[in-house]
Amino acid sequence: MTRARVLHAQLHLLDRQVVHDRDGRLVCKVDDLELAFDDQGRPYVTAILMGPLALGPRVGGVLGRLMEGAARLLGAQAPPRIPMAHVSRIASAVHVGGDLERPALERWIRTHLIEPIPGARHETE
């Protein structure tokens, strides 16, 4: 049986840095959370959401709508998510394991803008 840890989502999760356990890579910030409800009607977190489609509604107003609109213009359908099953530890940062796919915008920027720069590739790639 899995023991649940009671956390204050806004204090312990939102806006925290997400770090990959394997290589220490900074993955994203926690922009929003996906929630579900148990049989007693208590909410629990099912996934971490990231990117402008997740952050835009939290920011609100014109800026939030611009963030969402720009993401949709670039082809985003839904915010990328990290299932809570991948979360290994919650401390000053949220630590995750498993294989995580880079968001589409990040892949596009790396392929079309960063990699063409001389010396931009690391030896490990």
Side-chain angles (χ1 to χ4, degrees), residues 16-114:
R16 295 284 176 116
Q17 183 69 53
V18 177
V19 178
H20 199 276
D21 283 336
R22 185 176 354 164
D23 54 12
R25 174 174 53 101
L26 303 178
V27 177
C28 65
K29 291 274 192 170
V30 178
D31 292 322
D32 204 355
L33 302 169
E34 180 181 276
L35 302 176
F37 294 89
D38 67 11
D39 296 336
Q40 288 80 34
R42 295 177 298 210
Y44 63 95
V45 178
T46 57
I48 292 170
L49 303 177
M50 58 183 144
L53 289 181
L55 185 59
R58 281 187 57 216
V59 171
V62 174
L63 181 59
R65 288 193 301 276
L66 283 172
M67 291 170 68
E68 288 182 85
R72 291 196 192 285
L73 187 65
L74 292 169
Q77 302 294 321
R81 60 191 300 278
I82 300 171
M84 287 303 286
H86 286 118
V87 174
S88 59
R89 184 169 53 115
I90 298 172
S92 61
V94 178
H95 296 262
V96 297
D99 293 324
L100 302 176
E101 183 178 332
R102 291 184 188 265
L105 180 59
E106 184 177 332
R107 286 192 313 267
W108 187 92
I109 289 172
R110 177 167 293 284
T111 302
H112 294 91
L113 300 177
I114 304 298

